[in-house]
C-alpha cells in the first residue's frame, strides 16, 4: 500500500489451498497434508527429516479427518559451542533448513515457505526460564508450502500466476485438485473472550516506572514491555486488512489465515481459527543473491510520532523526531545489536553499517 522506490521489495504475493502446513510448539512439530497434493509430499518430507541430525523422533500418523501428518521432536542443543554456531544448534530452524533444501529451486525463487514466526522461538537458542506463563501447546511457528502463487510486480503493475507440480517416488501431484478446507469467518461472541486486557489499570505504567529506575542504576539497557488486549471483531479479517491499508499505508502488509490451532502434539488445541493481520514500515531482514554471493540486509527503525493535521505539521514533527536524543540513542543501540547479530552468520569483515 506504500512504496519507496529502490528501498523495498517490489513483489506482492498471495496464495490459497497450500498442500502442506508446518507447525511447531517448543521443540515439537507437526507437518500435515492439507489436500491430496500434500499427501504426495509427505513421504519425501519424512525421508528428508529422518536424515536430519537435529530430529530426535519422527512418526507418520493420521489426523481425525484422515490426513497424513508427521509428528516429532527436535534434540536439545549441544552442551557447549562457539558463539558463532549458536544459530546452528539443534532447533526447529534445523527443520526449516531441511525443508528449504528439499524444495528449493534456483530457477524458481518464489517457491518457498510462507507464514509466521513467534517471539518465543528465541528460546530455541537462549536457555532462558520464562517469567510469564504460556498457553500450553501454543504455536511458535506456522509455515505453508504453497504450490500456486499470484505474484504482482508493483513497479510494472504486471501480475502472473505460478503453479508447481511435484513428482517423487513414482507419485505426482500433476492433475490432482488444488483444493482446501474453506472455513467462513465466525466472530467470537464478546462473552467468550478470554480477557479484555491482561493488566489491571495502572499495572503497565508501574512496570514502565520500575524500568526507568533500573535504567538509571545500569541494570537495564533495553527492555520491551507489552500487554495484551482482546476486543470483539465482527468484521472479517479481509475488511480489517483493507481498513489498515487505508489508515496506515506501509510497504509491508500481511493477511494470513493461520487456521485453527489443533495442537501440534495431536492432543487438540483450542480449535479457534486464528488470523494474522498487520502493516509495518520496517524491513526486518532481506536475503538475496547478487554478483558477490548471498547478501543479508536489515533496516532498523526507531521512534514514533503522531501525524500532523497537514503537510506543514508533518514536516515539523519529522524535525522533532530527528532531533530527539532518546530516539537517536535507541536507533544506535538497535543498529549495534543488528550488526552483532549479522556478525554471527556473515563472513568475517563483511558486515557494514551504511
Amino acid at each position: 500500500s506504500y512504496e519507496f522506490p529502490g528501498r523495498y521489495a517490489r513483489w506482492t504475493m498471495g496464495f490459497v489451498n497450500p498442500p502442506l502446513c508446518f507447525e511447531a510448539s517448543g521443540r515439537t512439530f507437526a507437518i500435515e497434508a492439507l489436500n491430496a497434493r500434500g499427501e504426495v509430499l509427505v513421504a519425501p518430507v519424512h525421508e528428508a527429516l529422518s536424515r536430519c541430525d537435529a530430529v530426535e523422533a519422527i512418526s507418520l500418523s493420521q489426523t481425525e479427518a484422515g490426513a497424513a501428518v508427521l509428528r516429532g521432536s527436535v534434540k536439545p542443543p549441544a552442551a557447549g559451542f562457539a558463539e558463532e554456531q549458536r544459530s546452528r544448534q539443534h532447533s526447529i530452524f534445523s527443520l526449516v533448513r531441511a525443508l528449504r533444501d528439499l524444495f528449493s529451486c534456483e530457477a524458481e525463487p518464489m517457491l518457498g515457505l510462507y507464514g509466521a514466526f513467534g517471539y518465543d522461538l528465541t528460546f530455541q537458542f537462549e536457555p532462558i526460564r520464562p517469567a510469564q506463563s504460556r498457553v500450553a501447546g501454543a504455536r511458535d511457528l506456522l509455515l505453508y508450502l504453497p504450490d500456486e502463487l499470484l505474484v504482482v510486480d508493483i513497479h510494472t503493475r504486471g501480475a502472473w500466476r505460478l503453479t508447481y507440480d511435484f513428482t517423487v517416488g513414482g507419485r505426482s501431484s500433476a492433475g490432482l485438485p488444488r483444493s482446501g478446507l474453506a472455513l467462513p469467518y465466525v466472530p467470537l461472541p464478546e462473552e467468550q473472550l478470554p480477557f479484555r486486557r491482561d493488566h489491571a489499570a495502572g499495572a503497565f505504567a508501574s512496570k514502565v516506572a520500575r524500568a526507568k529506575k533500573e535504567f538509571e542504576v545500569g541494570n537495564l539497557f533495553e527492555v520491551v514491555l507489552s500487554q495484551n488486549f482482546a476486543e470483539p471483531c465482527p468484521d472479517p479479517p479481509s475488511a480489517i486488512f483493507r481498513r489498515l491499508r487505508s489508515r496506515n499505508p506501509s510497504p509491508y502488509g500481511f493477511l494470513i489465515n493461520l487456521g485453527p490451532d489443533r495442537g501440534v502434539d495431536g492432543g487438540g488445541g483450542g480449535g479457534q481459527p486464528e488470523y494474522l493481520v498487520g502493516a509495518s514500515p520496517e524491513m526486518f531482514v532481506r536475503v538475496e543473491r547478487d554478483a558477490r554471493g548471498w547478501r543479508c540486509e536489515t533496516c532498523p527503525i526507531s521512534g514514533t510520532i503522531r501525524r500532523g493535521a497537514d503537510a506543514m505539521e508533518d514536516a515539523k514533527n519529522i524535525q522533532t523526531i530527528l532531533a530527539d536524543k532518546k530516539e537517536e540513542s535507541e536507533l544506535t543501540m538497535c543498529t549495534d545489536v543488528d550488526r552483532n547479530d549479522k556478525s554471527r552468520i556473515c563472513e568475517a569483515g563483511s558486515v557494514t553499517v551504511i
Side-chain angles (χ1 to χ4, degrees), residues 10 67 135 151 171 200 204 206 250 259 261 318 323:
R10 61 189 291 179
V135 176
V151 183
R171 300 183 66 187
F204 186 79
S206 297
S250 301
D261 186 355
I318 289 172

Side-chain angles (χ1 to χ4, degrees), residues 27 52-57 73-78 89-92 124:
R27 306 190 78 81
C52 179
D53 184 57
V55 173
E56 183 175 53
S73 59
V74 173
K75 297 175 184 176
Q89 298 308 299
H90 298 324
S91 71
I92 290 298
Q124 300 280 324

Side-chain angles (χ1 to χ4, degrees), residues 46-255:
H46 192 181
E47 181 181 352
L49 295 188
S50 296
R51 296 194 304 265
C52 179
D53 184 57
V55 173
E56 183 175 53
I58 186 171
S59 62
L60 174 63
S61 59
Q62 288 186 326
T63 66
E64 293 181 357
V69 58
L70 295 169
R71 302 190 191 278
S73 59
V74 173
K75 297 175 184 176
F81 49 84
E83 183 60 32
E84 293 80 3
Q85 294 298 314
R86 180 178 295 276
S87 63
R88 289 288 178 172
Q89 298 308 299
H90 298 324
S91 71
I92 290 298
F93 289 99
S94 303
L95 278 61
V96 175
R97 287 191 286 267
L99 293 175
R100 175 204 61 192
D101 294 342
L102 176 63
F103 290 105
S104 64
C105 176
E106 191 167 343
E108 297 292 343
M110 301 297 182
L111 177 62
L113 300 168
Y114 295 79
F117 296 88
Y119 283 108
D120 276 7
L121 286 170
T122 189
F123 296 125
Q124 300 280 324
F125 307 111
E126 302 282 356
I128 302 171
R129 181 180 60 83
Q132 304 297 327
S133 61
R134 301 299 200 270
V135 176
R139 296 177 292 184
D140 299 326
L141 171 149
L142 186 143
L143 299 175
Y144 293 114
L145 175 73
D147 60 2
E148 182 177 29
L149 288 161
L150 174 65
V151 183
V152 178
D153 186 330
I154 60 176
H155 288 182
T156 66
R157 303 302 177 185
W160 58 93
R161 186 179 66 174
L162 298 172
T163 58
Y164 303 98
D165 280 301
F166 302 93
T167 300
V168 61
R171 300 183 66 187
S172 175
S173 63
L176 295 176
R178 302 178 188 272
S179 59
L181 182 63
L183 296 174
Y185 174 70
V186 179
L188 189 68
E190 185 173 354
E191 61 271 15
Q192 294 184 21
L193 291 176
F195 56 83
R196 298 304 291 264
R197 58 186 297 182
D198 64 349
H199 282 62
F204 186 79
S206 297
K207 289 184 176 181
V208 173
R210 179 186 173 189
K212 288 183 175 180
K213 293 180 180 179
E214 298 294 341
F215 279 118
E216 290 175 357
V217 298
N219 290 335
L220 287 176
F221 75 94
E222 179 184 15
V223 64
V224 180
L225 300 175
S226 66
Q227 57 179 324
N228 294 329
F229 296 89
E231 291 291 332
C233 185
D235 295 332
S238 56
I240 301 298
F241 180 63
R242 293 189 184 98
R243 194 176 305 151
L244 188 61
R245 288 187 62 192
S246 174
R247 297 188 62 178
N248 183 34
S250 301
Y252 295 103
F254 47 90
L255 165 59

Side-chain angles (χ1 to χ4, degrees), residues 8-42:
Y8 299 105
R10 61 189 291 179
W11 314 113
T12 295
M13 291 169 285
F15 63 88
V16 294
N17 300 329
L20 283 183
C21 173
F22 172 28
E23 300 174 289
S25 176
R27 306 190 78 81
T28 62
F29 65 89
I31 300 176
E32 181 180 340
L34 300 181
N35 54 31
R37 301 174 65 82
E39 298 280 346
V40 175
L41 303 177
V42 170

Side-chain angles (χ1 to χ4, degrees), residues 265-279:
D265 60 0
Q272 183 67 32
E274 296 179 325
Y275 302 85
L276 184 63
V277 183

